[in-house]
Amino acid sequence: MKIPYEWLNDYVDVNIDAKELADKLTLSGSNVEEVLISGDTIQNVVTGLITKIEKHPDADKLSICQVNIGKEDIQIVTAATNMKEQDIVPVALHGSTLFDGTKIKKGKLRGVVSMGMFCSEEELGIAGDEPVHGLLIMPKDTPVGEDIKKVLGLSKAVIDFEITSNRPDCLCMVGMARETAATLNLKYKMPNMKFTAKNSADINNEIKVNINDALCKRYMARGVKNVKIAPSPAWIQERLNEAGVRPINNIVDITNFVMLELGQPMHAYDRREITSGIINVERAAKDEKFTTLDEVERTLDDSVLCIKDDKRTIGLAGIMGGLNSEIEEDTTEVVFESANFEGVNIRVNSKKLGLRSEASQRFEKEIDPNLCALAIDRACALVEELGCGEVMQGTIDIYNDVKEVKTLEVSAKYINDFLGTDITPEMMKDYLDRLDLSTTVDGDKLIITVPTFRIDINIKQDIAEEIARIYGYANIPATIIKTNTQRQPRRRKLLLDEKIVDVMTACGLNQSISYSFVSPKVFDLVNLPKDSSFRNVVKIKNPLGEDYSVMRTTTVPSMMECLARNYSRSNEYASLFEIGKIYIPNEDETKLPLEKEILTIGMYGDGVDYLDIKGIMDDLIDEMGLKRFTYKRQSENPMYHPGKTAEVYSGKTKIAVLGEVHPDVSENYGVGTECYIAQVDLEALYENVHEKKEYKTLPKFPAVTRDIALLVDDDILVQEIEDTIKKAGGNLVESTKLFDIYKGKQIPEGKKSIAYAIVYRDNMKTLTDKEINKVHDKILRALEFKLGAQLR
C-alpha cells in the first residue's frame, strides 16, 4: 500500500520527515517496505533564464544559448528547438545528476563550450504517458536560480507499506493516519462527508436492488443527476498518481479516491445502461461471456457473483465493472455503488479469472461492511465539492446481517504479567484510545469497545499486543521466562531407530534416502502381476510428473534404483540401507492411507551372497533382543528368487523378508550381478523387541560335546533339524552348531549329509555318560521319526 506523505498530512499533522516516520511506524508494528522520494537522484539542476539564442557556426541543428542562473551567466549548447529568448527552463549544471542517474559534465559540442544541458520532463522523471517533445518550459513567474526539486515539488515522499491480511483497515489513508496518530500521540481527522442532496428526484423511485445471494453482505446505492464529465482537478490527479492509480475522469476518480482514502471500493454505473431500473446481485450463468472495463472478454462460471441489470451482467461483484456500463464523456446520470462481498469468493474468482484489481485485493481481506455508508457519503461530498453533479434524494441500503461492535474485558495485571511490564491502567487506556479502541477503566479491569473495522482483535492477547506496540517494544524489559523445565527422555521409537542405524553402519552399510513417490511403471520392473495388491496405490493429485505420480507400496523398486545407479557408475559393490515409509490406501477414501515404516537393506558385489544379508539380519535380531525367531522358506514372492528367499517370524508375527532379487528384476534395472534385498517391518520388529538385558552366571559344571552326522532328504531345512534337536534334548541341550554339509559320490542322489556338534550341560550337576546317551538316543529317534533322518 503506497501512502503519499503529503496526502497523509491531510488527516494528521505529522511533525517529522518521511524517513523518520517510517522508522517509528515500523517500531509500532507497521511493516515498511521502502520510502520512495521522487527527486532523490536529481542533483544540481536549477532554473535558468535564456537571455540570448544564436545559431551554432558549425552545426545547423545546434543552438548556442546564454543563460542566467541567478548568480552567474553560463553558456549551453542544445539541439532543442521549442525554446525562445526569455523562456525559463531547467538547467543541469556541470557535475549534476539527472533522474535516471546520468551524470552531466561540461564539454564541447562541435568546438563550442557547453556548461551543462537543458532538461525535458523525461530527464526529470515527470513525463506522463504522452511522448515528450522538447524542453520543459517553466511559467514566466518562476524564480531564476532555484533548485528544480523545490520548484516542481520533486522531493515528495511515498511510504510503501506491506499490509498484513489481518489488517484490512490499514489499506487506506485514514487507516494509516490512525496508526500514525497513535504512534506519534497526535490527533487525526476524518475527511468531509457532509453534502446536500440538491436534486429532488429520489433514487428509490428509479432503481430497485435485489440481493439474491448471501455472498453479498451489504449493498448501498445513490444517484447523481446533471453530471458533468471532465478531468479531475489537479489535486485529485496528483493524489491518485502518487498512489499509483491513473486518473480517468472526475466521476471515476472520485470512486478511486474514496477507495484509497477510506479503504472501501466503489463503482459508478452509467444510469442509461441500467435500462430495466433493476439491479440484481446474483451469480453468473455457466459459461457466460462478459467483457470487463479492461476490454477483455472473460468466460464466467456459476461461482462468480455478478451485478446485473435485471438479466444482463454489468459488473463482476467486488472485482471490476463492465465495459457495457462504463462512464462515458456524455454521461449525465450515474449510480454510485458501495457494497460488501464475501472475501473468499472474491479471492477465488479474481484468481480464476486472472483479474486482481485494487477492489478485489481489499474485499478478499474481509473489510468492514460499515465502511459502505462512510464511503458513499464521502463520494457524494466530493461530487458537491467538485461541482460535477447533483446528488439525488434517498439511499438504497440493504444490510441484512448488521455487524456490531465487540466488547472485551481484561485486567491490567494480566497485561503486565503477560508483557513483563509495569504499565498503569490509565496509561493502557490512553494507548488503546489512540487506536480508537474506546476503553473504560474499572479498578484493575479494562473494558474495551472494539470497532467493527478491527477484525484482528478477538481475545485478550490481542489487546496486550496493541498496548505493547504503542507503549514501544523497545521499552519492554527483557525477562527470563518463569517456568520449570524438565528434561524428558527420548521416545522409545527414536531410540530404537538410532540403534538400527548403529547396527547397519556397524555392518558396513551406508544409509540412503529416496522419494516416497514413484512411477506406476516400477511395478512392472519388479515382476508384480496385474492383480497384485501392491498395485493398489495412493495417487497424487498434483504430481511433478508421471515418474512421481503414486505413493510407493513397496520399497524394493526404490532400493533397486539405488543399486542400479551404483552399478551403472561402475561401483564394484554397494551395501545400502534406508528407513522409509510405504503407503497403503484406506478402504474409506475420506481417510488417510496407512503409513508403514520399513527398513530396507540392499547389497550386490563380488563375494556377496544370501548368507551375507542373512548375517546382517541375524546381527539386527540379536541387537534388538528377539528371543523367538525363525526363518521360513518363501517361494511365492515374484520380486525374489524362489529358491533363495526367506521370511523371518517372531512367534507368529512376520517381521521381515530377505533373499536374492529375482534375476529378471535385476535385468530390468540393468544390473548384471546378483542383488540381495531385505525388508523389515519396523512396527512389527519393535513390538517384539526385548530391551531389558538378561544375564546369567558362568556355568559351574562342565559341558559335554557329541557330534552327530545325519543323512537326510535334500529338501529338509537346517531350521527343522535344529528345532527337532532342541525340542527332543530339552534343557540339557545348551547349543547346536552346524559344521558340515556334504553331497557327493558316497551320498545317494536326493540326499545330503549334515553334521552337528551338540553341547550338553546341566547347571545343577556334572552329567554322566549314561544320562547323555539317554538324551542323545532320544534326539536320534526324534530325527528319524519326524524327518526320516539316518545316522551315518
Side-chain angles (χ1 to χ4, degrees):
M1 175 68 184
K2 289 181 169 59
I3 302 294
Y5 179 76
E6 288 193 6
W7 194 358
L8 186 66
N9 273 274
D10 291 347
Y11 313 99
V12 57
D13 295 326
V14 182
N15 49 16
I16 54 178
D17 63 36
K19 290 185 177 179
E20 186 178 354
L21 174 61
D23 291 340
K24 289 186 177 296
L25 286 172
T26 298
L27 292 174
S28 68
S30 299
N31 187 13
V32 176
E33 291 280 295
E34 59 180 336
V35 179
L36 305 169
I37 300 178
S38 56
D40 256 4
T41 55
I42 300 175
Q43 300 295 330
N44 205 22
V45 180
V46 300
T47 55
L49 174 66
I50 300 175
T51 58
K52 186 178 181 180
I53 301 176
E54 297 177 325
K55 285 290 183 183
H56 194 292
D58 294 326
D60 293 338
K61 294 185 178 181
L62 296 179
S63 299
I64 303 172
C65 302
Q66 304 302 318
V67 185
N68 178 263
I69 58 171
K71 296 180 180 180
E72 59 178 325
D73 290 337
I74 62 172
Q75 179 173 282
I76 301 290
V77 179
T78 181
T81 59
N82 68 319
M83 73 288 180
K84 61 183 183 298
E85 293 181 359
Q86 300 306 308
D87 277 347
I88 298 175
V89 296
V91 183
L93 304 177
H94 170 68
S96 62
T97 306
L98 301 183
F99 173 77
D100 62 358
T102 302
K103 304 287 185 181
I104 303 300
K105 296 181 180 180
K106 66 180 180 180
K108 288 185 178 181
L109 293 176
R110 303 294 290 268
V112 177
V113 174
S114 179
M115 299 301 293
M117 66 172 281
F118 295 143
C119 299
S120 68
E121 291 98 323
E122 190 170 357
E123 278 91 17
L124 298 176
I126 58 174
D129 295 334
E130 298 298 324
V132 174
H133 301 288
L135 306 178
L136 171 62
I137 308 299
M138 310 292 294
K140 295 295 183 182
D141 58 352
T142 302
V144 175
E146 288 286 339
D147 190 326
I148 197 68
K149 293 191 289 185
K150 179 179 179 181
V151 174
L152 295 178
L154 294 182
S155 296
K156 294 178 180 178
V158 176
I159 307 175
D160 192 0
F161 291 92
E162 180 189 4
I163 307 300
T164 55
S165 58
N166 67 327
R167 291 299 305 273
D169 58 296
C170 290
L171 285 168
C172 62
M173 298 303 304
V174 168
M176 290 313 302
R178 184 186 300 114
E179 289 292 310
T180 301
T183 301
L184 303 180
N185 197 13
L186 302 172
K187 299 292 183 182
Y188 79 97
K189 57 185 178 182
M190 292 291 288
N192 173 43
M193 297 180 187
K194 295 180 180 179
F195 66 95
T196 303
K198 296 181 179 179
N199 196 284
S200 60
D202 192 322
I203 190 173
N204 291 285
N205 297 328
E206 298 190 14
I207 298 291
K208 181 181 179 183
V209 176
N210 300 311
I211 296 181
N212 300 325
D213 199 293
L215 292 175
C216 179
K217 300 177 181 179
R218 187 178 190 182
Y219 194 97
M220 293 187 71
R222 280 212 187 109
V224 180
K225 287 186 178 291
N226 300 323
V227 172
K228 301 170 186 176
I229 303 298
S232 296
W235 65 273
I236 284 189
Q237 292 195 42
E238 182 181 6
R239 294 287 189 252
L240 293 176
N241 279 320
E242 288 176 344
V245 176
R246 181 172 61 90
I248 298 175
N249 58 53
N250 49 9
I251 295 298
V252 175
D253 291 351
I254 284 173
T255 60
N256 288 331
F257 185 90
V258 170
M259 176 185 67
L260 295 173
E261 185 178 53
L262 296 175
Q264 170 63 44
M266 292 188 62
H267 191 69
Y269 296 101
D270 188 329
R271 172 65 181 84
R272 295 173 301 181
E273 302 302 329
I274 309 176
T275 55
S276 67
I278 299 174
I279 292 177
N280 289 327
V281 185
E282 58 190 29
R283 303 198 190 204
K286 188 175 182 181
D287 297 328
E288 178 182 346
K289 305 292 184 182
F290 179 68
T291 303
T292 45
L293 281 170
D294 57 0
E295 301 183 3
V296 176
E297 184 180 78
R298 304 177 191 276
T299 302
L300 313 180
D301 60 31
D302 54 10
S303 69
V304 180
L305 191 65
C306 297
I307 310 298
K308 297 188 176 185
D309 167 20
D310 198 8
K311 299 298 181 184
R312 182 181 64 130
T313 298
I314 57 175
L316 303 181
I319 301 177
M320 185 175 285
L323 189 65
N324 57 7
S325 61
E326 72 172 332
I327 304 301
E328 304 283 358
E329 291 183 0
D330 61 346
T331 298
T332 59
E333 185 176 347
V334 300
V335 174
F336 280 133
E337 170 192 280
S338 182
N340 188 278
F341 308 101
E342 200 270 330
V344 174
N345 180 266
I346 298 298
R347 166 69 174 170
V348 169
N349 285 308
S350 64
K351 191 173 182 181
K352 183 190 303 179
L353 296 170
L355 182 57
R356 201 139 181 258
S357 61
E358 289 282 348
S360 69
Q361 291 180 46
R362 286 166 172 79
F363 280 125
E364 68 189 27
K365 292 178 173 63
E366 299 289 357
I367 60 176
D368 181 15
N370 293 322
L371 279 176
C372 294
L374 296 176
I376 207 164
D377 285 348
R378 177 59 171 157
C380 292
L382 286 170
V383 167
E384 188 174 274
E385 183 178 342
L386 302 185
C388 57
E390 298 176 356
V391 179
M392 297 170 62
Q393 303 290 327
T395 303
I396 297 173
D397 186 4
I398 304 176
Y399 192 8
N400 296 322
D401 188 10
V402 178
K403 188 174 182 180
E404 303 288 352
V405 297
K406 295 175 290 189
T407 301
L408 292 177
E409 293 186 5
V410 61
S411 72
K413 182 179 183 305
Y414 168 80
I415 299 292
N416 283 320
D417 290 345
F418 186 74
L419 299 177
T421 55
D422 188 19
I423 308 172
T424 65
E426 290 70 24
M427 292 174 64
M428 293 181 185
K429 169 181 166 54
D430 177 57
Y431 299 148
L432 295 172
D433 285 344
R434 288 193 213 172
L435 293 164
D436 284 355
L437 300 171
S438 180
T439 305
T440 303
V441 177
D442 183 7
D444 183 62
K445 185 167 62 175
L446 302 175
I447 304 170
I448 304 105
T449 301
V450 182
T452 53
F453 61 78
R454 288 305 300 270
I455 64 170
D456 60 313
I457 298 180
N458 298 290
I459 55 178
K460 60 184 180 181
Q461 287 84 358
D462 295 331
I463 298 296
E465 181 184 4
E466 297 301 301
I467 292 172
R469 66 190 188 89
I470 302 302
Y471 175 68
Y473 292 117
N475 298 323
I476 298 176
T479 56
I480 298 175
I481 298 174
K482 297 177 181 179
T483 183
N484 293 322
T485 59
Q486 293 182 347
R487 182 175 179 178
Q488 294 293 325
R490 281 189 263 182
R491 290 183 303 156
R492 176 176 183 267
K493 180 184 178 304
L494 181 60
L495 294 171
L496 293 175
D497 284 347
E498 290 182 352
K499 181 179 283 190
I500 284 180
V501 172
D502 290 342
V503 173
M504 294 296 105
T505 53
C507 290
L509 276 65
N510 296 306
Q511 187 168 11
S512 68
I513 300 174
S514 58
Y515 290 123
S516 294
F517 31 85
V518 296
S519 168
K521 296 177 182 178
V522 299
F523 301 122
D524 294 328
L525 294 177
V526 294
N527 280 358
L528 290 177
K530 297 299 182 183
D531 59 349
S532 172
S533 60
F534 287 110
R535 292 181 181 268
N536 182 23
V537 296
V538 177
K539 296 181 180 179
I540 300 173
K541 289 185 177 180
N542 55 340
L544 298 174
E546 186 183 1
D547 288 344
Y548 305 100
S549 60
V550 299
M551 304 303 290
R552 65 186 178 188
T553 54
T554 173
T555 56
V556 170
S558 300
M559 182 55 70
M560 282 304 302
E561 286 181 12
C562 293
L563 296 178
R565 191 177 298 113
N566 280 271
Y567 187 82
S568 67
R569 285 162 174 73
S570 301
N571 290 333
E572 295 181 359
Y573 65 91
S575 300
L576 306 173
F577 77 95
E578 176 187 1
I579 298 176
K581 291 183 178 180
I582 60 172
Y583 301 82
I584 310 301
N586 198 309
E587 292 182 2
D588 184 352
E589 295 183 357
T590 62
K591 296 182 179 180
L592 293 174
L594 172 65
E595 300 181 26
K596 298 183 71 174
E597 202 162 35
I598 304 295
L599 166 65
T600 311
I601 303 169
M603 307 172 68
Y604 77 80
D606 292 340
V608 173
D609 59 17
Y610 172 82
L611 294 178
D612 289 292
I613 200 163
K614 180 179 180 296
I616 294 174
M617 182 62 62
D618 287 340
D619 289 342
L620 176 63
I621 290 172
D622 183 60
E623 285 296 323
M624 303 307 282
L626 269 66
K627 292 185 176 181
R628 297 171 54 225
F629 68 92
T630 55
Y631 288 87
K632 292 185 179 180
R633 179 179 292 173
Q634 224 290 349
S635 59
E636 302 300 325
N637 193 323
M639 294 183 284
Y640 288 90
H641 192 297
K644 300 180 182 180
T645 305
E647 292 178 340
V648 184
Y649 286 81
S650 178
K652 295 184 178 180
T653 303
K654 186 174 80 170
I655 61 172
V657 57
L658 72 156
E660 180 184 331
V661 176
H662 199 289
D664 291 344
V665 175
S666 296
E667 184 179 345
N668 291 340
Y669 280 93
V671 181
T673 187
E674 294 85 357
C675 296
Y676 297 89
I677 288 180
Q679 300 174 84
V680 183
D681 184 339
L682 291 183
E683 183 179 351
L685 176 66
Y686 292 165
E687 287 177 357
N688 291 275
V689 164
H690 291 274
E691 299 170 74
K692 188 176 181 180
K693 297 292 185 181
E694 296 179 358
Y695 299 90
K696 59 182 180 179
T697 61
L698 292 173
K700 296 180 180 180
F701 302 98
V704 177
T705 303
R706 294 282 183 91
D707 293 343
I708 184 173
L710 304 171
L711 191 65
V712 297
D713 292 339
D714 200 23
D715 60 352
I716 298 295
L717 299 178
V718 169
Q719 183 77 55
E720 297 177 276
I721 298 173
E722 292 179 358
D723 289 345
T724 302
I725 292 173
K726 290 176 181 179
K727 187 174 181 180
N731 294 332
L732 293 184
V733 175
E734 184 178 71
S735 64
T736 59
K737 183 178 180 181
L738 174 67
F739 66 85
D740 182 58
I741 300 178
Y742 175 72
K743 293 181 182 180
K745 295 180 180 179
Q746 300 171 354
I747 304 299
E749 188 174 347
K751 299 284 187 178
K752 61 184 175 183
S753 174
I754 293 183
Y756 276 95
I758 305 174
V759 178
Y760 298 97
R761 189 195 301 272
D762 190 331
N763 293 325
M764 303 302 295
K765 63 178 181 177
T766 300
L767 291 173
T768 63
D769 285 341
K770 182 178 180 181
E771 291 171 327
I772 294 171
N773 291 336
K774 181 179 179 181
V775 176
H776 198 69
D777 291 342
K778 183 179 179 182
I779 290 172
L780 289 175
R781 290 194 299 272
L783 290 170
E784 182 180 2
F785 177 74
K786 291 185 177 181
L787 305 177
Q790 299 176 21
L791 185 64
R792 288 191 62 198

